[in-house]
Amino acid sequence: MSEYQILTIFAAFAFLYSIIASRLERTPVNGALVYVSAGMLLGPQGLGLVDLDIDGEALSRLAEFALAICLFTDSSNANLNVLRRIEAAPIRLLLIGLPLTIALGLGLGVLVFGNLGFFEIALIATMLAPTDAALGKAVVTNPAVPEKVRESLNVESGLNDGICVPVILFFLALAAGSVEASDSAGLVLKLPLEVIGIGVLIGLLLAVIGGLALRTCAARGWVAGTWLQVPIIALAFTCFGLAQWLGGSGFIACFVGGLTFGGLTKTHKDQFLESAEGTGDALALLTWFTFGTIAIGLLFNYFSWQAVIYAVLSLTIVRMLPVYLSLAGRHLQTDTLLFMGWFGPRWLASIVFAVMVAAQQLPGNNTILTTVAWNIVLSVVAH
């Protein structure tokens, strides 16, 4: 298949979508749903017009880059005054709700998957625990949603994927047999300190230095015009790349970096962020389309009722019950708690985690990847 054929079809579709995107945003049929559906329809399992011949590693990189920009820009727009007032809510979601989600997902997984090992089920539970910042953007930027709810969900979705990285690495090491059970206690302490600590440190350091340089140059008129589009994207990628290079979480680095940059930058911030958000959206759309071209093969070639049942449970009770319990006593109305529990889109982080797991060639790989794929597709439709 000609590369120019693929380019022509994708570019034409992107053009057609872009000219009616603002209208579609006011309907339930937009963004991820349209692009994933188009990928399925036009891909090799559909009409066969687009065969990207892309491997998991390339898809993972696309997802990482889109998520890096999204995390940085979303956290830069966070309202710190609101966060100071409601800081207990996101802390509870991360320190109580997230572990409960993994534990409940593991418990139900043991009941659903009789053919998987304990640590393989633990991997599924952890891979599907983080909510997605890109797919949930419509909620966290919607002024119709109360500000305290938006900021709580924004912080949760910005940090939970980074927090899950050491947990994924821990269960992956045990599932692959690359670490002895006797050594696992040390690994439990070492991984979070390295992955999370390095991510936080890099995000803070680069945001302070980069933000200061950017504000100084902008005030002197050294950066203007089309160059306004570059700095935030470059700073987000620097945070992500350096943290990953040093063994930390690039996701946490991007979120902490964006939060720090947004808190320190008052002038020109909107100008810098606007162009970066457009780039992040474009990368997310490309990832959605690419995922659609390969997802349908996973969904049906390795179809199992267990995967579908677990995906439904993951998007409902496994998410909603821990959120409800973790926020109990915070004087939130029941409908607010249910809304926050329903806000559980799975997308970019789950793709990245799936590729990490697939590389280990575990015995239950097909079941694991199929379950993740069903979860993502159902999330795109439902959320």
Side-chain angles (χ1 to χ4, degrees), residues 51-307:
D51 186 357
L52 294 175
D53 192 25
I54 190 169
D55 59 13
E57 194 68 27
L59 179 59
S60 176
R61 291 293 169 266
L62 264 179
E64 285 178 341
F65 295 157
L67 188 55
I69 297 176
C70 184
L71 288 172
F72 194 98
T73 55
D74 280 1
S75 60
S76 293
N77 283 317
N79 189 324
L80 295 183
N81 291 326
V82 174
L83 274 180
R84 292 188 188 99
R85 295 201 307 268
I86 52 95
E87 61 182 12
I91 289 174
R92 281 170 170 254
L93 286 170
L94 290 168
L95 298 185
I96 301 175
L98 184 59
L100 283 177
T101 299
I102 296 174
L104 184 56
L106 174 57
L108 291 176
V110 170
L111 298 177
V112 173
F113 297 110
N115 60 328
L116 293 181
F118 179 83
F119 294 119
E120 291 177 322
I121 298 172
L123 281 170
I124 294 177
T126 310
M127 292 160 67
L128 297 177
T131 55
D132 183 73
L135 200 55
K137 191 173 183 179
V139 169
V140 298
T141 59
N142 190 341
V145 179
E147 204 167 26
K148 61 182 181 181
V149 175
R150 281 188 282 140
E151 295 301 339
S152 295
L153 293 175
N154 187 30
V155 172
E156 182 202 13
S157 63
L159 292 176
N160 57 14
D161 39 22
I163 292 173
C164 281
V165 169
V167 184
I168 288 281
L169 294 175
F170 174 72
F171 285 135
L172 195 55
L174 292 173
S178 57
V179 63
E180 296 295 331
S182 58
D183 299 328
S184 60
L187 201 61
V188 168
L189 296 175
K190 179 183 177 183
L191 284 175
L193 288 175
E194 286 186 353
V195 174
I196 297 175
I198 291 173
V200 170
L201 183 62
I202 294 299
L204 283 171
L205 186 63
L206 291 182
V208 171
I209 296 173
L212 177 61
L214 192 53
R215 291 191 300 275
T216 302
C217 293
R220 298 183 179 184
W222 294 356
V223 53
T226 57
W227 287 107
L228 288 170
Q229 304 174 33
V230 178
I232 295 300
I233 298 171
L235 187 56
F237 282 161
T238 305
C239 287
F240 180 81
L242 183 58
Q244 294 287 119
W245 183 13
L246 297 179
S249 169
F251 300 138
I252 285 183
C254 285
F255 186 84
V256 173
L259 201 64
T260 306
F261 174 83
L264 295 176
T265 306
K266 305 302 179 185
T267 58
H268 306 292
K269 184 172 79 169
D270 292 340
Q271 291 175 287
F272 287 123
L273 291 176
E274 187 175 351
S275 298
E277 288 175 347
T279 301
D281 289 343
L283 280 174
L285 292 176
L286 178 58
T287 308
W288 287 330
F289 185 89
T290 305
F291 173 78
T293 63
I294 64 176
I296 196 167
L298 277 174
L299 296 180
F300 297 107
N301 290 345
Y302 302 102
F303 176 82
S304 73
W305 283 110
Q306 292 92 334

